[in-house]
Amino acid sequence: MSRIAYVNGQYLPHDHAEIHIDDRGYQFGDGIYEVVSIMNGHLADQEWHLDRMEYSLSELNIPMPMTRAAMKIVIGNLIRMNKITNGLIYFQITRGVMRRDHAFNAMLKPQLVMTAKTLPRLSKQMIDPVKVITVPDQRWQRRDIKTLQLLPNCMAKTKAMEKGAYEALMVDHDGLITEGSSSNAWIVTHEGELITRPATYDILSGITRKAILDIAAKRNLKIVERGFSVEEAQNAAEVFVSSATSLVTPVYMVDDVKIGNGDTGPVALALRQAYFDHVRALAAE
Ligand code: PDD
């Protein structure tokens, strides 16, 4: 079965879905995107992803391409047409098409592209811990906006792959970890505190991060939103990363330093399992 994509009002075979070469997303990375996980047929936190989409658009003065209700219909159609049970929905909205000029015309019509992909079912129980490296954070100062401009992230992730690592954690000028190239970063201290960087302009406010914070609060875990250094991560009881695609993924090594005995930590495992229950509960609402 060939994949179906959505491009500005049309459902097209994925390989024939095209956009204009003067699209500002292509020219300047002038646009935003979202990735929503589909787990056992359920969309994970769709409403929060749509909230963040609206926030990213408004921070860049890009109008909504259609109503939120219409977007949900397109998302549902793509899931059905592509017969997705486990996978993800990707969508991006660019400012529009115009002859190349840095300054944009505020009247442009935003362009919406949506794709869907099947992925292997993520396991609630079985997660092999991963290795991460650290790299300098070379991004701009508005990382809270989920823009298409991902070159520093792509460079960082490729370096991680070259070193046999799963993710690159990015480090700011003060030596503190901001986040992963496509994930948020967490540690658990030996006192059992769950630490993650506060959601300021410095990081993307991850939807999985938000869900984990809710879950952790309900379990009465002590949560501290603050920055932490590479050394603190290397000496922590647990390190893990979170994202729509990796959910909660434990880390066993940070830059060649093993975390604890290298096994998946109990907090990461419990949070991962609780995240699955959280998505199932949303679907039942
Ligand atoms: N990335 N930080 C960055 C820089 C990210 O790109 C992502 C997500 C996250 C986690 O956000 P969320 O929990 O909402 O997925 C944090 C997506 C998955 C991607 O770019 O493919």
Side-chain angles (χ1 to χ4, degrees), residues 33 35 52 146 179-184 204 206-208 243-245:
Y33 75 104
V35 178
R52 186 172 64 188
K146 200 162 171 63
E179 60 187 326
S181 69
S182 63
S183 59
N184 289 115
L204 183 78
I207 300 304
T208 323
S243 74
T245 42

Side-chain angles (χ1 to χ4, degrees), residues 7-69:
V7 184
N8 294 320
Q10 287 186 293
Y11 295 91
L12 300 165
H14 192 95
D15 292 344
H16 299 280
E18 290 168 357
I19 52 123
H20 199 286
I21 57 168
D22 279 337
D23 186 283
R24 287 184 63 92
Y26 176 62
Q27 299 278 2
F28 296 110
D30 186 355
I32 64 103
Y33 75 104
E34 280 295 330
V35 178
V36 187
S37 184
I38 304 161
M39 296 162 64
N40 282 332
H42 308 314
L43 278 160
D45 294 314
Q46 172 176 230
E47 296 298 337
W48 288 349
H49 281 279
L50 292 173
D51 289 345
R52 186 172 64 188
M53 171 197 76
E54 288 184 5
Y55 172 77
S56 296
L57 289 173
S58 76
E59 290 302 290
L60 298 175
N61 296 319
I62 300 176
M64 283 275 278
M66 58 171 64
T67 63
R68 194 167 160 134

